[in-house]
């Protein structure tokens, strides 16, 4: 049975290894009802507890009936049920944004670390085709990821490699708007792909394979450039135009709400290549570009990012403060140092990784594993000396690089956090 095959894949890949509480996005359609039945059936196998999240879009007569059914189902199975009504002017984009904002709020408030959606292989093919139509960049042709960061945890799509036709026909509600040609995705699903399939019956498979190959390519590029400090302008400017293009795209990918047009991206790339003067300039969507002689970085200045800080240099015998934290470079402290060279204190950057001795770990992965809230990740303070990442201070936790053995400790770094009464 398909459920057993999906279960084996999830267990093998460890989709839910880091999660205890899982929130399921349920619309009432056949896909999400399959997801609900599957996860309810295999809660113990996956060692998770589940809750249901539903948005009543109020666009159809059946909307209230669907909500009532799901509420009753949740009550009968003794599951938490979270629901809200869509507000505002309806559009596909607005509805999607509203849904995920609601899901995020529930996760934050109720302590869920994973949101699970029922996207399947057909959705993946449609998404890639849609992005081709819109002229999206290559990295977006990778399509949806099975696991990605979201809210306080992760968004997981366990059905992403499963065809819709392989899912059981469980009780569900039909949405007649799926047949409407007013929406691009419906036209892709009901008109464009079926017509093109006459030329290539395996078109959907080919689109998914294109997405997979794109993922492999981008992963390979990321692995090959992982030791490069992309925001070091000397490093950046020494690379070929093609490598510069990729490095900048990879760096910008961490700013998910910054959507640069091709023209804006090219203009930014040209500024980094020239770097004729130091500047702090507004870019877009609340983001600022900071250009220095040797470094560049982006940050967002706003109510939730007012702790964003500029790169600072800490020399031996000196003290530097960032927010409520002070850093003293002398002969006492918890961070052993083998060099008296200046320490760079900076925000985290794409590709940052820390050496724990037996293994290296990217900070992005570290934050996920340690369940660091998303709003705290952008406040992380990274300490670097002579190109080596020494530590990361985030959400009140200090993660240290494992010091090499049989070396001379020449100094230490003392890190103190001010108490409220000291401010």
């Amino acid at each position: 049975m398909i459920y057993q095959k999906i279960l084996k894949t999830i267990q093998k890949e460890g989709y839910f290894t880091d999660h205890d509480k899982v929130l399921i996005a349920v619309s009432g359609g056949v896909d999400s009802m399959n997801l609900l039945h599957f996860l309810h059936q295999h809660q113990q196998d996956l060692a998770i507890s589940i809750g249901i999240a539903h948005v009543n879009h109020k666009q159809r007569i059946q909307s209230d009936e669907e909500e009532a059914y799901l509420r009753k189902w949740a009550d009968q199975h003794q599951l938490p049920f979270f629901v809200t009504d869509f507000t505002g002017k309806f559009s596909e984009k607005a509805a999607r944004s509203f849904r995920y904002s609601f899901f995020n709020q529930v996760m934050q408030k109720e302590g869920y670390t994973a949101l699970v959606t029922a996207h399947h292989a057909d959705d993946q093919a449609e998404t890639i085709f849609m992005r081709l139509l819109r002229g999206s960049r290559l990295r977006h042709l990778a399509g949806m990821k099975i696991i990605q960061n979201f809210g306080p945890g992760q968004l997981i799509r366990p059905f992403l490699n499963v065809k819709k036709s392989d899912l059981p026909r469980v009780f569900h509600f039909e949405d007649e708007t799926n047949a409407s040609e007013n929406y691009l995705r419906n036209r892709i699903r009901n008109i464009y792909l079926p017509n093109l399939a006459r030329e290539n019956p395996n078109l959907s498979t080919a689109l998914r394979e294109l997405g997979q190959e794109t993922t492999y390519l981008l992963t390979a590029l990321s692995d090959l450039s992982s030791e490069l400090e992309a925001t070091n302008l000397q490093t950046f400017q020494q690379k070929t135009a093609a490598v510069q293009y990729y490095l900048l795209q990879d760096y910008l990918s961490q700013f998910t709400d910054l959507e640069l047009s091709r023209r804006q991206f090219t203009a930014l790339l040209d500024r980094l290549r020239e770097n004729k003067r130091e500047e702090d300039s507004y870019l877009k969507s609340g983001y600022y570009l900071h250009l220095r002689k040797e470094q560049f970085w982006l940050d967002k200045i706003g109510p939730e990012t007012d702790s964003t800080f500029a790169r600072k240099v800490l020399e031996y015998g000196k003290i530097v403060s960032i927010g409520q934290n002070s850093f003293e470079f002398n002969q006492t402290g918890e961070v052993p140092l083998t060099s008296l060279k200046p320490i760079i204190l900076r925000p985290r950057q794409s590709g940052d990784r820390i050496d724990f001795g037996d293994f290296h770990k990217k900070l992005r992965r570290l934050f996920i594993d340690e369940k660091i809230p998303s709003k705290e990740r952008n406040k992380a303070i990274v300490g670097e000396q002579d190109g080596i990442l020494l530590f990361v201070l985030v959400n009140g936790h200090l993660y240290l690089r494992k010091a090499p053995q049989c070396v001379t400790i020449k100094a230490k770094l003392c890190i103190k956090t001010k108490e409220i009464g000291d401010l």
Side-chain angles (χ1 to χ4, degrees):
M1 186 178 178
I2 188 64
Y3 281 5
Q4 286 300 318
K5 183 178 179 181
I6 297 172
L7 177 63
K8 288 182 179 179
T9 299
I10 292 174
Q11 291 175 324
K12 178 182 177 182
E13 300 298 331
Y15 293 170
F16 296 102
T17 300
D18 298 328
H19 304 289
D20 299 318
K21 295 184 67 176
V22 171
L23 186 66
I24 310 172
V26 182
S27 66
V30 64
D31 311 333
S32 64
M33 290 304 294
N34 262 287
L35 180 63
L36 177 58
H37 285 293
F38 168 77
L39 288 177
H40 179 259
Q41 180 179 326
H42 293 292
Q43 280 188 95
Q44 292 186 347
D45 296 319
L46 298 172
I48 59 174
S49 61
I50 61 175
I52 301 172
H54 175 71
V55 175
N56 186 333
H57 292 94
K58 296 290 186 179
Q59 299 299 304
R60 298 178 294 112
I61 298 175
Q62 297 89 346
S63 294
D64 291 339
E65 181 183 348
E66 293 169 1
E67 178 185 329
Y69 175 83
L70 291 174
R71 187 185 297 276
K72 182 178 179 181
W73 199 97
D75 184 60
Q76 289 175 340
H77 294 84
Q78 298 182 318
L79 297 177
F81 181 67
F82 308 97
V83 63
T84 191
D85 294 342
F86 174 81
T87 57
K89 185 177 180 180
F90 185 84
S91 69
E92 281 187 294
K93 184 177 181 180
R96 185 185 186 282
S97 177
F98 184 92
R99 286 196 302 274
Y100 283 91
S101 176
F102 172 64
F103 300 150
N104 186 13
Q105 291 171 18
V106 174
M107 291 174 71
Q108 297 276 5
K109 183 178 179 180
E110 303 295 335
Y112 290 92
T113 60
L115 171 70
V116 188
T117 65
H119 293 100
H120 47 71
D122 301 275
D123 293 323
Q124 181 74 299
E126 293 164 10
T127 296
I128 294 171
F129 187 81
M130 180 186 295
R131 293 176 179 178
L132 278 169
L133 281 180
R134 290 174 171 170
S136 297
R137 290 189 176 94
L138 178 64
R139 68 172 50 249
H140 298 302
L141 298 187
M144 296 177 283
K145 297 179 181 179
I146 292 180
I147 299 178
Q148 67 183 64
N149 293 339
F150 177 77
Q154 294 181 322
L155 168 58
I156 303 175
R157 302 179 177 98
F159 286 3
L160 200 55
N161 291 322
V162 180
K163 292 183 180 180
K164 183 172 184 175
S165 59
D166 291 335
L167 295 173
R169 299 297 292 179
V170 298
F171 175 82
H172 65 280
F173 291 88
E174 290 289 352
D175 185 350
E176 65 273 12
T177 63
N178 287 335
S180 171
E181 295 182 10
N182 293 329
Y183 304 112
L184 175 59
R185 185 173 286 275
N186 289 350
R187 295 195 296 274
I188 291 173
R189 178 182 300 145
N190 302 324
I191 300 175
Y192 303 155
L193 289 182
N195 285 338
L196 289 171
R198 296 174 184 173
E199 300 294 335
N200 179 6
N202 296 317
L203 176 61
S204 290
T205 300
L207 287 168
R208 294 195 299 272
E209 289 176 347
L210 170 64
Q212 186 61 65
E213 286 197 15
T214 302
T215 298
Y216 284 148
L217 173 62
L218 294 174
T219 301
L221 288 171
S222 180
D223 290 344
L224 291 170
S225 62
S226 62
E227 300 302 322
L228 297 178
E229 184 183 351
T231 57
N232 181 302
L233 279 170
Q234 184 176 5
T235 299
F236 185 87
Q237 292 171 351
Q238 287 176 346
K239 301 304 175 184
T240 64
V243 174
Q244 290 175 346
Y245 189 95
Y246 166 76
L247 289 176
L248 181 57
Q249 272 204 355
D250 192 54
Y251 174 66
L252 293 177
S253 67
Q254 66 183 289
F255 307 106
T256 55
D257 57 339
L258 176 61
E259 298 180 359
L260 297 182
S261 66
R262 290 181 183 275
R263 181 182 61 80
Q264 291 168 330
F265 177 85
T266 301
L268 174 59
L269 186 59
D270 289 341
R271 289 166 73 181
L272 298 180
R273 286 168 172 166
E274 298 171 1
N275 188 31
K276 294 180 179 179
R277 59 189 176 90
E278 296 188 353
E279 63 176 304
D280 298 287
S281 56
Y282 183 72
L283 195 60
K284 184 180 180 182
S285 303
Y287 284 95
Y288 286 78
L289 168 66
H290 304 279
L291 266 178
R292 298 294 183 266
K293 184 178 180 181
E294 299 178 351
Q295 202 86 13
F296 79 90
W297 70 93
L298 269 62
D299 61 32
K300 189 173 186 179
I301 309 300
E304 295 185 359
T305 56
D306 53 7
S307 64
T308 299
F309 60 96
R311 174 178 178 270
K312 294 188 177 183
V313 178
L314 174 60
E315 297 180 342
Y316 182 74
K318 299 295 180 69
I319 300 175
V320 166
S321 294
I322 298 177
Q324 295 177 243
N325 303 290
S326 67
F327 302 83
E328 185 174 359
F329 187 7
N330 51 35
Q331 292 296 322
T332 62
E334 58 268 53
V335 183
L337 303 170
T338 60
S339 171
L340 296 179
K341 290 184 178 180
I343 298 171
I344 306 300
L345 301 173
R346 60 170 175 80
R348 72 183 180 108
Q349 300 167 352
S350 177
D352 274 343
R353 59 176 63 200
I354 189 167
D355 181 3
F356 286 126
D358 295 331
F359 63 95
H360 288 72
K361 179 173 284 193
K362 285 191 174 183
L363 295 193
R364 180 181 178 184
R365 185 71 251 173
L366 175 67
F367 293 166
I368 293 172
D369 292 345
E370 296 296 314
K371 297 181 172 57
I372 303 298
S374 296
K375 64 180 180 180
E376 296 297 330
R377 297 177 189 180
N378 289 331
K379 301 176 185 178
I381 301 173
V382 171
E384 176 186 303
Q385 186 183 52
D386 205 19
I388 298 174
L389 199 153
L390 301 175
F391 70 86
V392 57
L393 178 64
V394 59
N395 199 30
H397 299 285
L398 180 65
Y399 300 92
L400 295 176
R401 169 181 180 265
K402 184 175 181 180
Q405 298 179 349
C406 303
V407 294
T408 301
I409 302 300
K410 296 183 178 180
K412 292 184 178 181
L413 177 67
C414 179
I415 304 175
K416 295 181 180 179
T417 300
K418 300 175 185 177
E419 300 295 336
I420 293 178
D422 298 331
L423 298 179

